[in-house]
Amino acid sequence: MTTRSETQTTLDHLLTEIEHRNPAQPEFHQAAHEVLETLAPVVAARPEYAEPGLIERLVEPERQVMFRVPWQDDQGRVRVNRGFRVEFNSALGPYKGGLRFHPSVNLGVIKFLGFEQIFKNALTGLGIGGGKGGSDFDPHGRSDAEVMRFCQAFMTELYRHIGEHTDVPAGDIGVGGREIGYLFGQYRRITNRWEAGVLTGKGQGWGGSLIRPEATGYGNVLFAAAMLRERGEDLQGQTAVVSGSGNVAIYTIEKLTALGANAVTCSDSSGYVVDEKGIDLDLLKQIKEVERGRVDAYAERRGASARFVPGGRVWEVPADLALPSATQNELDENDAATLIRNGVKAVSEGANMPTTPEAVHLLQQAGVAFGPGKAANAGGVAVSALEMAQNHARTSWTAARVEEELADIMTSIHTTCHETAERYGTPGDYVTGANIAGFERVADAMLAQGVI
Ligand code: NDP
Ligand code: 2IT
């Protein structure tokens, strides 16, 4: 039998090879490190996982598509963006994962997101593989008509790669209900098919699931509550710092407030707002979802309880809980040290990979409960899979039913991660628990399906 340290040496060699084979993709390297650094106990314990080529196949996308997206702005000028879809792993079901429109998007960013998505989707227990896509298009400051023309141009290529049984995109940064509407319209026009299950996050009334907009944020709060319960605590009366002010942040704040916590911050790329009375969600939704404005407008209109801190980071505001809900690597070692100094009890990732590896290490060493994104933010993709189920059955469920299923799924993910971490000798380590539990499910399916 191979020992853990021999196995870790093999995995370390593989990580070096991944870096060589995928140059200039630091986010993908980071995501691969984070997973492969925790797999030694399970690979050493179960010889079938040491089969040559298994992990090598897992880190290589099944298919990667990159394409030109030409579109015209409101002045008639031709703009050219780059589109991506990385179809990473379909052992458990059709590729599933969001589309991100943000100027920072490149192949390495999409690959990190697609890789994370494989394990996240496996943890939901539902039949969905892992994929991700997007573009370096920046929707900020673009008119509705420009966003529509961009989405149509993007789908004019993407349509040939997706389908309800093949690959099912959804939203992510910069892609919400408006963009999914334009994308769906163009898919329907090109294919002449009403194929509701080809995209999720659709509008209610044309195939969207109730609670899908809320699902990621609500799910993350339920995960944080489950971690607190393990320590004999609940959310009541806890102060929370939340970063971001988009889809995930807004519904994180909504659920925190509903469960008795006080969410005192939100942010965007211009800075953050701290509101000692708790974020007024009606005002935040009006500014962000209706006016598509910046967070400083919140502080201006809210009155004395709120102030805007230009360029600052929410982590400097003292809190019991931190829920990063904006983007990758937004919470670093210094931020973690500040949170620990201020007595934080739990950090739960609404965003994908928002906490740097050094920060994760510091938080775990300090005994802070840490919920990794692939477990904590899985509620969004889980309800996407429920949307696919409703589309397939040509039915729609009540909000209460979807919310109940979401709560059951989050509880089950928490239990799975917790028990897996205990089983492999790292009690309380949700990172190891999530990685190993997600890996086991995908690896078993890959082994059963042969070398493909
Ligand atoms: P939105 O586009 O709705 O909101 C993103 C928010 O994060 C905005 O406030 C945005 O500010 C801020 N932000 C984005 N990029 C940066 C950056 N580089 N620096 C500073 N702030 C930034 O996206 P979502 O809420 O959907 O996504 C947020 C995170 O959650 C992402 O990591 C995403 O991958 C993850 N996620 C999303 C899911 C979903 O269902 N939507 C599911 C699971 C995870 P600004 O407008 O100024 O850019
Ligand atoms: O990161 C994610 O899980 C998402 N952006 C949601 C993916 C989905 O298919 O709903």
Side-chain angles (χ1 to χ4, degrees), residues 111-440:
K111 280 177 64 182
F112 117 64
L113 290 162
F115 187 66
E116 288 281 295
Q117 202 82 46
I118 303 171
F119 304 94
K120 183 194 306 193
N121 294 6
L123 283 171
T124 66
L126 303 167
I128 40 180
K132 200 82 183 191
S135 173
D136 57 0
F137 172 71
D138 186 358
H140 286 113
R142 292 287 168 202
S143 67
D144 279 354
E146 288 178 316
V147 170
M148 182 180 75
R149 286 195 295 276
F150 176 80
C151 289
Q152 290 174 342
F154 184 81
M155 185 53 85
T156 301
E157 172 61 30
L158 187 69
Y159 89 95
R160 59 183 100 245
H161 308 290
I162 63 175
E164 62 176 325
H165 300 295
T166 309
D167 183 357
V168 183
D172 193 81
I173 291 177
V175 177
R178 173 182 62 171
E179 291 74 19
I180 294 293
Y182 296 146
L183 291 164
F184 186 76
Q186 183 72 350
Y187 183 84
R188 189 166 61 73
R189 175 163 75 173
I190 296 173
T191 60
N192 193 31
R193 280 163 66 88
W194 180 272
E195 190 186 330
V198 69
L199 291 169
T200 59
K202 298 180 294 296
Q204 279 148 38
W206 49 278
S209 176
L210 289 164
I211 307 297
R212 175 62 190 88
E214 293 87 349
T216 311
Y218 281 17
N220 188 25
V221 175
L222 297 177
F223 194 90
M227 291 198 297
L228 286 176
R229 239 185 338 267
E230 281 298 321
R231 302 173 165 228
E233 292 204 54
D234 63 20
L235 285 166
Q236 192 65 41
Q238 311 271 11
T239 299
V241 285
V242 177
S243 63
S245 53
N247 171 267
V248 177
I250 284 175
Y251 293 100
T252 297
I253 295 170
E254 186 162 288
K255 196 57 159 184
L256 283 168
T257 311
L259 296 179
N262 190 26
V264 292
T265 64
C266 63
S267 69
D268 62 21
S269 52
S270 68
Y272 77 85
V273 161
V274 55
D275 185 339
E276 67 204 30
K277 281 196 189 154
I279 297 290
D280 175 339
L281 256 190
D282 289 339
L283 179 57
L284 184 62
K285 284 182 180 174
Q286 171 64 26
I287 290 167
K288 281 289 167 180
E289 292 181 342
V290 181
E291 299 169 21
R292 296 182 187 274
R294 315 298 297 159
V295 285
D296 60 342
Y298 176 96
E300 262 164 43
R301 278 144 74 174
R302 174 70 162 153
S305 70
R307 71 193 159 86
F308 173 64
V309 182
R313 281 147 92 91
V314 298
W315 320 121
E316 64 202 32
V317 176
D320 304 303
L321 311 172
L323 299 103
S325 310
T327 194
Q328 64 269 13
N329 294 328
E330 57 164 316
L331 195 169
D332 67 17
E333 218 174 347
N334 288 334
D335 302 319
T338 308
L339 286 169
I340 293 164
R341 219 171 23 251
N342 288 331
V344 75
K345 299 170 188 167
V347 175
S348 202
E349 295 187 321
N352 286 306
M353 210 169 75
T355 317
T356 65
E358 299 77 17
V360 174
H361 185 69
L362 213 58
L363 291 164
Q364 289 185 323
Q365 293 286 57
V368 176
F370 178 78
K374 60 172 77 66
N377 73 37
V381 77
V383 173
S384 276
L386 302 182
E387 181 169 324
M388 291 161 70
Q390 292 168 72
N391 294 155
H392 195 70
R394 294 185 185 277
T395 188
S396 60
W397 301 346
T398 61
R401 175 168 175 192
V402 180
E403 212 175 330
E404 210 171 292
E405 299 235 6
L406 170 64
D408 287 350
I409 291 167
M410 295 315 298
T411 304
S412 146
I413 293 175
H414 175 269
T415 307
T416 301
C417 296
H418 197 261
E419 289 179 357
T420 306
E422 293 217 325
R423 186 152 30 98
Y424 286 98
T426 52
D429 176 357
Y430 291 95
V431 174
T432 299
N435 289 343
I436 292 184
F439 170 78
E440 285 180 317

Side-chain angles (χ1 to χ4, degrees), residues 35-53:
V35 172
L36 268 54
E37 277 165 6
T38 59
L39 294 185
V42 68
V43 177
R46 298 186 53 184
E48 66 271 29
Y49 293 150
E51 185 177 293

